[in-house]
Amino acid sequence: MSITDIDVPKGSILESDSPDPRLLNVERLQTSDYRTQTWKNGLGETSEIYIHPPDKDFKSDAFFWRLSKHVIEANCNFSVFPGYECTTIVLPNQGKRKNSTILLNHKGEEMSTTVKPLFPYTWNGSWPTSCQVSNPPVSNLQFVINRKQGTAQFNIEKIGQPVSNESGESGKNLLLGTFAILYVVEGNVRIELDENHLNGCVHTLNEGQTLFIERDEEASPTSILVKPCDKSGTVGHPDLDATFITIQVAESKKAPSSIGDNIMIPPTMPIPPELGGPRRPLRRRSSLVVYDEQPIQNLKEKAHGYVVPEPQGELETNLRAPGLPSVDEGMRRDSIAMLQGTFDKTQLYTPPTFALMPQDTDVPPPVVRDRLVIEEFPLNTISTAWIKMVKQGLSEWIRLPAIVCRGSKDGPVVGITAALHGNELNGVPCIHRVVSEIDVKNLSGTVVAIPCVNMVGYLQFKREYADGRDLNRLFPGKEDGFSSQVYCYQLMNKVISQFNYLIDLHTASFGRINSYYVRADMNDPGSALLAHLQQPQIVLHNSGQDGTLRSAAAARGIKAITVEIGNPQLFQNQYIQWSYMGVMRILDHLEMFPLDNDTPKDERSSGPPNTVLCSKGFWIYTKTGGVLEVYPGVNTIIRKGDLMARIKNIFGNVVDEYVAPCSGIVIGRSSNPVAMSGDRILHLGVIKRKGEVLPKEAKENY
């Protein structure tokens, strides 16, 4: 049944129904499959590993890209490839022989470039290039690509050693381009493609062999996990290691034109065949389908098959309280009668309804405690306390504010924490609203709210702790570590250890903005339930194991989620209201505190119209610095190839452009226009596909 046939209820969890299969072609190439030819001058030989399209001859035909292996016996000149870009990677010598290098000179210039083993070097293929070799023979890979048709990225990795990639896990990555080529330099590897999907596959490659992968352009990213193994494919031996090269090729949206190379075809327009359009017909666009066979309603279909939720109404309509007296418009106008007729009516301020609701709680003054011991606080009471954490430079305690709501009946302990990063503040008023709503006479169990975890960062308007480190990468901390590790250790043992459930409230950090989303281990039923009840715009599957408070709590058996509530160092009432209602739904589901039956239905279900479930997410970073313009908004679905961002120099010239490497949803993005090389651009979520099994370990490239 299609999305247009039925309705989707508010709060539905949505998955992607993007086309299958992701992998159009996977070929394991042995050295005997390479086409080897000796050079006419006798100075070396070339083994063509793969050329695309495969029926082309690189000497006489135009081609997209070509990968070959060369053995160079003496100094020589390289072939010229006008219109192409050439990259060479010198391979290390086998055995104990000293590694070789090559010295490349372009266009007869005075300066030459030394290329060392396993360092990719790229040049314009139209340049006449001479090569001098040291310690011959020299083996190298050469990759040639048509600049107008696509781009290539190179990654060289050694696994089986204490070396890991930026995601923190050696040998694991995402394939985003149309093509990927993996060449084994040393050792043997076992390659798992889409190991968590029904169409996944496994291959074993030995030294010198190549795996060619062609992907569906419109499908979500392909996960690849490479492990060292023996020749039979057996993994797990601690003394095994391997080195491999991965080349990812992305087809360009830029089409050749008789007007000039700078003509850009908009991503939403098909490229005409006469301008070098697609090599094959485009497949159908991704769509969203209902998760767990929930009924569907209130969704509109947009171009390209994407589904966009209905916009939410004004916050006032969601929070309107019955019986509140209306403001006397006449009296209010009298006070500004002298300005009548000189302003627009929309300029008149009316206090929002939620601000007129009673939100104060009559609580006793705070007590001071060495640690949180819930039994020390009276039943049927809301208490406040300062918890001693660590001593600062004046030998005074850094104290943690705690609000302890103990009900009249037994029940679980739910902890709510905010401002673990000192400038992430939307969680503070969320906690205030939750506490003001709770009537302890009707509460079963205990709610412990920590409105500010990082007091030092909070007072300095910054994310980090006193020593400049990020607390949320250091849990569970160390008793005898550096200062931020000690603080994390004390927090875990003095406070967090008392909880059965944890809701950790965050926002984006400085220079970034976030959607309203939840990060949770969706393979854990308890955490997944908390994420569903929060009813966010996006749920991002993340298993933890990354030094966060959430992962440290989960390691102690505490069901935990991280709730990201918008932007830093400000209050956003819509997001605050959504997160507040999410917490109240959790308390209601745990049978701790019932939602008021008199609460209007719209307010009880207050939240985004539906939730998109992402199996993974990753940040896209700048390759150069300048003035950054990011175009998609948060919670926006984008397609592969859509223009996401530009970088200009200070004079306004475009120096770089970034397109979406795959289709997905924008979880967060940069809001800081001043960008250095390696700064964040956009946090892209990959929408979970039907039939995809969520990985046991899922991390992000923070």
Side-chain angles (χ1 to χ4, degrees):
M1 187 175 291
S2 69
I3 287 216
T4 54
D5 295 331
I6 49 180
D7 295 327
V8 179
K10 191 174 185 179
S12 297
I13 302 292
L14 302 181
E15 291 181 322
S16 169
D17 191 21
S18 54
D20 281 322
R22 299 190 203 179
L23 303 174
L24 301 180
N25 184 23
V26 179
E27 296 182 42
R28 177 176 175 268
L29 303 173
Q30 304 185 54
T31 53
S32 58
D33 297 321
Y34 305 162
R35 290 180 286 183
T36 302
Q37 185 175 9
T38 303
W39 297 357
K40 293 180 180 180
N41 57 17
L43 300 180
E45 68 176 23
T46 295
S47 298
E48 184 177 88
I49 297 175
Y50 206 96
I51 187 170
H52 194 86
D55 58 347
K56 299 297 182 182
D57 184 339
F58 83 98
K59 295 180 181 179
S60 57
D61 300 328
F63 59 93
F64 183 10
W65 57 264
R66 176 179 183 257
L67 176 65
S68 57
K69 180 181 178 181
H70 298 195
V71 178
I72 308 173
E73 300 285 353
N75 298 343
C76 60
N77 294 321
F78 282 176
S79 299
V80 176
F81 292 93
Y84 288 80
E85 192 171 76
C86 301
T87 300
T88 189
I89 303 174
V90 175
L91 301 177
N93 292 330
Q94 303 301 317
K96 297 182 179 180
R97 190 165 69 91
K98 182 180 178 181
N99 277 334
S100 304
T101 60
I102 60 176
L103 188 69
L104 297 184
N105 181 273
H106 305 296
K107 301 186 293 186
E109 295 180 349
E110 294 183 5
M111 298 295 294
S112 298
T113 301
T114 300
V115 183
K116 297 182 179 181
L118 299 181
F119 282 87
Y121 175 74
T122 302
W123 71 94
N124 190 320
S126 63
W127 294 346
T129 301
S130 62
C131 172
Q132 297 182 27
V133 298
S134 67
N135 195 25
V138 179
S139 297
N140 72 302
L141 292 182
Q142 182 160 311
F143 188 82
V144 182
I145 185 170
N146 188 314
R147 296 197 305 268
K148 293 181 179 179
Q149 294 185 26
T151 58
Q153 289 186 336
F154 301 85
N155 183 58
I156 300 170
E157 188 168 357
K158 186 167 186 176
I159 53 177
Q161 300 289 322
V163 178
S164 62
N165 59 18
E166 62 182 8
S167 67
E169 185 166 6
S170 178
K172 190 163 189 177
N173 215 324
L174 293 177
L175 301 182
L176 303 170
T178 308
F179 303 98
I181 308 100
L182 191 147
Y183 177 86
V184 181
V185 178
E186 296 173 329
N188 311 286
V189 297
R190 173 187 167 94
I191 302 170
E192 299 178 10
L193 296 171
D194 276 339
E195 72 273 18
N196 297 300
H197 195 269
L198 298 176
N199 295 323
C201 57
V202 178
H203 293 272
T204 299
L205 293 186
N206 304 126
E207 188 173 299
Q209 295 181 347
T210 304
L211 190 69
F212 166 75
I213 304 165
E214 183 176 10
R215 302 178 60 255
D216 186 340
E217 293 176 272
E218 303 306 323
S220 56
T222 299
S223 65
I224 179 171
L225 178 61
V226 185
K227 300 178 181 178
C229 65
D230 59 22
K231 287 189 176 182
S232 66
T234 304
V235 299
H237 299 294
D239 56 342
L240 293 176
D241 57 26
T243 303
F244 62 94
I245 299 170
T246 306
I247 305 171
Q248 294 201 48
V249 181
E251 290 185 307
S252 176
K253 292 288 182 180
K254 194 172 182 178
S257 168
S258 59
I259 301 176
D261 290 343
N262 293 324
I263 301 299
M264 179 69 74
I265 302 296
T268 54
M269 294 176 57
I271 301 175
E274 62 270 18
L275 293 182
R279 297 175 297 99
R280 53 180 179 267
L282 291 176
R283 292 168 174 257
R284 63 185 176 88
R285 298 292 182 181
S286 302
S287 59
L288 295 180
V289 298
V290 181
Y291 178 74
D292 285 343
E293 298 183 350
Q294 298 184 55
I296 307 185
Q297 70 183 18
N298 299 330
L299 284 185
K300 286 187 176 180
E301 190 167 10
K302 197 177 180 181
H304 310 296
Y306 290 115
V307 177
V308 180
E310 289 276 8
Q312 282 291 100
E314 293 295 325
L315 178 60
E316 287 82 359
T317 62
N318 291 334
L319 300 178
R320 185 171 292 116
L324 287 176
S326 60
V327 178
D328 188 325
E329 188 71 10
M331 291 295 292
R332 187 157 56 82
R333 284 183 177 274
D334 284 346
S335 64
I336 51 175
M338 59 184 297
L339 298 176
Q340 191 168 3
T342 64
F343 52 82
D344 191 291
K345 291 182 179 180
T346 59
Q347 293 177 264
L348 292 173
Y349 167 71
T350 302
T353 307
F354 73 84
L356 301 177
M357 296 179 182
Q359 295 191 18
D360 195 13
T361 304
D362 186 16
V363 296
V367 296
V368 179
R369 293 286 184 267
D370 291 330
R371 61 186 304 114
L372 177 67
V373 180
I374 292 174
E375 291 74 19
E376 293 181 356
F377 295 90
L379 293 169
N380 205 26
T381 304
I382 296 179
S383 306
T384 58
W386 290 108
I387 309 297
K388 296 178 181 178
M389 298 299 291
V390 295
K391 284 196 173 182
Q392 36 90 315
L394 296 176
S395 292
E396 297 292 335
W397 286 99
I398 294 177
R399 300 183 300 180
L400 194 73
I403 306 171
V404 182
C405 308
R406 288 199 73 188
S408 56
K409 302 176 184 178
D410 291 336
V413 179
V414 172
I416 313 170
T417 54
L420 176 57
H421 295 132
N423 61 353
E424 300 183 5
L425 304 181
N426 271 330
V428 177
C430 172
I431 284 177
H432 292 167
R433 292 188 193 181
V434 169
V435 172
S436 67
E437 181 69 18
I438 290 177
D439 181 353
V440 288
K441 296 178 182 178
N442 299 321
L443 176 66
S444 299
T446 303
V447 175
V448 178
I450 311 295
C452 182
V453 174
N454 182 0
M455 292 294 290
V456 176
Y458 172 81
L459 293 174
Q460 297 180 1
F461 317 114
K462 69 177 187 179
R463 172 187 179 91
E464 297 82 11
Y465 187 62
D467 60 359
R469 292 184 172 93
D470 187 338
L471 292 175
N472 211 32
R473 302 293 182 269
L474 300 173
F475 285 98
K478 292 183 179 179
E479 186 176 12
D480 57 351
F482 43 77
S483 59
S484 48
Q485 287 179 321
V486 173
Y487 191 86
C488 291
Y489 176 85
Q490 298 296 342
L491 178 67
M492 287 298 300
N493 289 277
K494 289 186 175 184
V495 179
I496 305 300
S497 59
Q498 302 289 304
F499 301 163
N500 302 119
Y501 299 89
L502 171 64
I503 306 168
D504 189 23
L505 306 178
H506 285 256
T507 74
S509 189
F510 171 76
R512 304 197 292 270
I513 57 177
N514 271 349
S515 58
Y516 169 51
Y517 78 98
V518 168
R519 191 182 284 114
D521 183 355
M522 297 301 286
N523 285 326
D524 177 73
S527 300
L529 177 61
L530 298 182
H532 281 246
L533 291 169
Q534 198 65 36
Q535 199 174 306
Q537 293 172 320
I538 300 166
V539 171
L540 175 59
H541 171 57
N542 182 299
S543 58
Q545 303 98 26
D546 50 7
T548 60
L549 174 58
R550 175 176 63 89
S551 63
R556 295 196 177 202
I558 302 168
K559 303 302 180 184
I561 60 173
T562 300
V563 183
E564 297 280 354
I565 318 172
N567 308 338
Q569 204 64 47
L570 52 80
F571 289 164
Q572 295 169 283
N573 287 320
Q574 180 70 88
Y575 284 169
I576 293 167
Q577 171 65 11
W578 285 350
S579 59
Y580 151 71
M581 285 306 304
V583 173
M584 299 308 294
R585 280 191 293 270
I586 289 173
L587 298 180
D588 179 64
H589 182 84
L590 296 176
E591 298 183 348
M592 293 179 63
F593 186 79
L595 283 174
D596 189 352
N597 291 329
D598 295 331
T599 303
K601 184 177 180 181
D602 288 345
E603 186 175 334
R604 289 169 62 90
S605 60
S606 175
N610 48 66
T611 299
V612 174
L613 176 59
C614 293
S615 58
K616 59 179 75 76
F618 59 95
W619 277 94
I620 299 167
Y621 293 86
T622 61
K623 298 177 183 177
T624 186
V627 181
L628 175 64
E629 298 176 355
V630 184
Y631 303 124
V634 296
N635 196 39
T636 301
I637 294 175
I638 60 177
R639 300 167 304 153
K640 177 179 179 179
D642 282 347
L643 180 65
M644 301 184 306
R646 282 193 179 100
I647 288 188
K648 298 178 180 178
N649 63 23
I650 200 63
F651 303 104
N653 305 114
V654 176
V655 296
D656 207 354
E657 292 185 334
Y658 300 87
V659 299
C662 64
S663 297
I665 188 166
V666 179
I667 299 173
R669 45 155 287 185
S670 172
S671 61
N672 184 3
V674 182
M676 301 286 286
S677 298
D679 276 353
R680 301 177 192 234
I681 299 175
L682 185 140
H683 189 189
L684 187 61
V686 180
I687 301 172
K688 180 182 178 295
R689 296 160 50 93
K690 290 186 68 177
E692 180 180 4
V693 178
L694 293 173
K696 292 182 180 179
E697 291 191 8
K699 305 175 185 177
E700 298 165 72
N701 57 338
Y702 295 118

